[in-house]
Amino acid sequence: MAQTTGIMNGSQLRVKFANDGVATVAVDHLTDLSVSFSTETRDTTTKDNAGYRAILPGLKTLTVSFTAFYAADAGNGYEELFADMETGQKLDVFIGSFAQADDSQITEDMDVSFEAYCTNLELSAGTEDNASYTCTLECVSDPTLNASD
């Protein structure tokens, strides 16, 4: 499928995960996705910096957070993540762009893959509301970014 033109619809971006070494599967009932990439800094300020702070890059962090509706019959959701978190299972994670019409991957759009651990999993169930869960995945490998063509 051809690269997405113009501003991308956020619904196209999806997250997939699976146990390390197994083909990734899309998260069922995904409602929200956030990808945060940051670099911590090391202070290198000396008296020679004329009162300005000097820094160098330090540790990098890639964190993915998402929200999805809870469904007991979901093929890849809360219960799988709960089991992975409980056992300390490393996960393969893939974030990419998918066509809304048929869920096929738009291979000309950017995607990123990496290994991660589930570090936070929260189930919410309000009165007469949809049950949902929020998950945080923290990268523990060098991520692979395939830029848009």
Side-chain angles (χ1 to χ4, degrees):
M1 184 170 273
Q3 178 183 25
T4 302
T5 57
I7 298 170
M8 184 178 288
N9 183 333
S11 295
Q12 287 178 223
L13 292 176
R14 314 260 177 88
V15 61
K16 299 169 77 175
F17 73 91
N19 290 355
D20 190 26
V22 177
T24 58
V25 178
V27 171
D28 290 328
H29 311 297
L30 184 68
T31 62
D32 189 56
L33 172 64
S34 173
V35 180
S36 175
F37 189 46
S38 62
T39 301
E40 295 178 21
T41 58
R42 301 180 287 133
D43 190 346
T44 59
T45 307
T46 68
K47 292 181 180 184
D48 296 330
N49 290 107
Y52 288 92
R53 184 174 177 216
I55 60 171
L56 288 173
L59 295 174
K60 294 179 180 78
T61 305
L62 173 60
T63 304
V64 172
S65 298
F66 63 86
T67 302
F69 291 130
Y70 171 75
D73 61 351
N76 209 26
Y78 178 82
E79 293 177 15
E80 289 74 20
L81 288 162
F82 188 95
D84 291 336
M85 192 170 179
E86 188 173 40
T87 62
Q89 175 67 51
K90 187 185 294 184
L91 302 171
D92 289 336
V93 180
F94 177 85
I95 297 166
S97 178
F98 293 83
Q100 294 177 325
D102 61 6
D103 287 334
S104 61
Q105 183 183 350
I106 303 172
T107 56
E108 288 78 17
D109 285 350
M110 178 273 316
D111 63 64
V112 63
S113 56
F114 55 92
E115 293 180 321
Y117 287 103
C118 179
T119 58
N120 186 52
L121 189 60
E122 180 179 339
L123 180 63
S124 300
T127 303
E128 293 301 317
D129 200 359
N130 295 326
S132 64
Y133 66 95
T134 301
C135 174
T136 302
L137 302 172
E138 292 193 46
C139 177
V140 295
S141 67
D142 190 15
T144 300
L145 172 70
N146 293 312
S148 299
D149 290 338

